[in-house]
Amino acid sequence: MLPRSTPSAAGVDAQGVRDFVRAATDSGLELHSLMIVRGGAVVAQGWWEPYTPDGTALVYSLSKMLTSTAVGIAVGEGLVDLDATVSEALGDQAPARAAPWVHRARVRDLLAMSSGHESDGLEAMMAAVVAGHDPLATFLTLPAEHAPGEVFTYNQGCTLTLAAILARVTGERLLDWLRPRLLEPLGIDRIAWTPMPGLTGPTGAGLEQGFSGAQVTTAAIAALGELWRREGRWGEEQLVPRDYLEAARSTQVDNVGRHTEPDWQRGYGFQVWRSRHGYRGDGAFGQLCLVLPEQEAVVAVTAQTELMQRELDLVWEHLLPALESGGGTAQADEALERELAALRLEPPPRLVRRPESVVGLLDVDHRVVESAPLLGRVESVRISRRDGGFVMTWRADGADHETPVGVGAWLRGELPSPWSFPPAVAVAGEAGADGIRVRVVYVESPHALTVTITGDGARMSWVTQPLR
C-alpha cells in the first residue's frame, strides 16, 4: 500500500516514537495500532496483540473522512455541485414535507456541519428506526433553529444525507462505486461499511451510514491520510480534485465554544477537524487519521480510550518533536522496531487449572443476571475444561456459541456481538477468590467486555460501551 523506510532515513527520531508509546501506556490509554508515515513512506508501525496488521477496525466517525473523500471524487466527475441546495441534490428523494432549511442549505453546508440545527439529529433518526419509519426523511423534516452556514453542530444527519446524495447520483453502493476510483488505487482491499437501518440504497442493498460504521485496516487509514496530504494525487493520477481538498481541510465554520477541548475548537472543514497542528479525521474511542502537512507526515491510530484529548496531547508532546528532529540513529531505529514488534495488551494474569475456590463454578450453566447493553440476549454462560484448557459457552437466542479461553494468553474465536461490528473475539480469563473473570476483546472494534461468574450468576459489562 505504501513503501517502507526507517525513522532515521526519513528524519524522524525513533526515541520520540518510543516515548509516545510508553507515555500512552503510562497515561492509561489503550492503543491498538499505530502507523506513522513520513514523506510518503511508513517509518513506524505496530499492533498491540491480540490486534493484527490484517485486522479491520470499526472507526466510528473517522468514516466521515471517507465520505468526504467520496464527495470530492463525485464533485470532480461533475456528479455533485457543492453549491446546489440539499433538495436539488436529492431530487425526488427529498420528502414532500421537507423542512424549509432543506431548500436553502447547500451541499457544502452539510459537509461543514452547518445545516442550521442546534443539536444532532441522531436521536430523532434512531427513534424513527425503532418506530419503523425512514430515518433520513425524519432528519430532513427536523426544523432548523438557525440559517444554514451560521452555526456548527456536529450532526450525523448531515453526513447521512451526503451518503444518500452519493447513492442517488452514482446509482451504486458507495463501496462499489469507490472501488475503482479510490480503494484499488490505494490498495485497500479489506473494507466494509455498516448500512443505516431502515434505508435502502439504489441497488436494493443497504445504504452506508456515511457518518459511522466503516471497518478498515490501519494501513487504509494511513493511506487515506496520505492521499489528503498529497492533495488528492496518487502516483500519476489525481483521484480527488485538489481545490476540493484545499477547501475540505480549511476552516469552513467556526466552532469555538461548541466544545471545550483545545483540539475540538480550531474550526471544522468538510467532515474533518482542524487541530492545533494540521487536521484530522477522528472517531470515538481514539481512532485517528492525523494529517500534518508541515511535517509531511500522517499518523494513524486505533484505540480504546475516552481520553482523546490526552491522546492528541501526547502526539504533540512526543511525536511532533520526533518528526521535527531531523532524525536519529540506526541503533534507535532497531530498538524501536523491537519494541513495536513486542507490543501486546496484557491478558488477565491466569485462569488456574484447578482453583479450589471456583471449582464448583466450572461446567455449570450460570444464568446471566446482568447483561451488557446493546449486546443482545445472552441467557447463560458456562466455563468448561476441554483439551487441557478451557472453553466458554454462551447460550444466546436459543443457540450455543463456544470460544476457547486463554490461560495467560489471548485465544481467538467468535461470540455474538452488537450489530455494528463482526463477532471475532480474543478471550482470556482469570480466577480469583470470588469467582472467574473473562475478558472478551472484540478485535475488529474498539470494545471489550468483562464476564464475571460468581455463585449467584454471570454478569457482563463493557469496558467501553459501543455507540448505538
Side-chain angles (χ1 to χ4, degrees), residues 147 197 202 288 436:
L288 290 179
I436 299 173

Side-chain angles (χ1 to χ4, degrees), residues 144-193:
E145 295 83 357
H146 306 274
E150 280 191 356
V151 298
F152 169 83
T153 296
Y154 197 65
N155 197 333
Q156 317 306 321
C158 288
T159 319
L160 180 64
T161 306
L162 291 170
I165 291 169
L166 287 168
R168 175 181 177 269
V169 300
T170 66
E172 297 183 60
R173 291 184 65 244
L174 185 52
L175 288 183
D176 291 339
W177 185 76
L178 284 176
R179 193 154 283 113
R181 294 167 172 82
L182 179 72
L183 305 180
E184 290 176 356
L186 268 58
I188 299 174
D189 57 1
R190 297 206 64 212
I191 184 170
W193 210 325

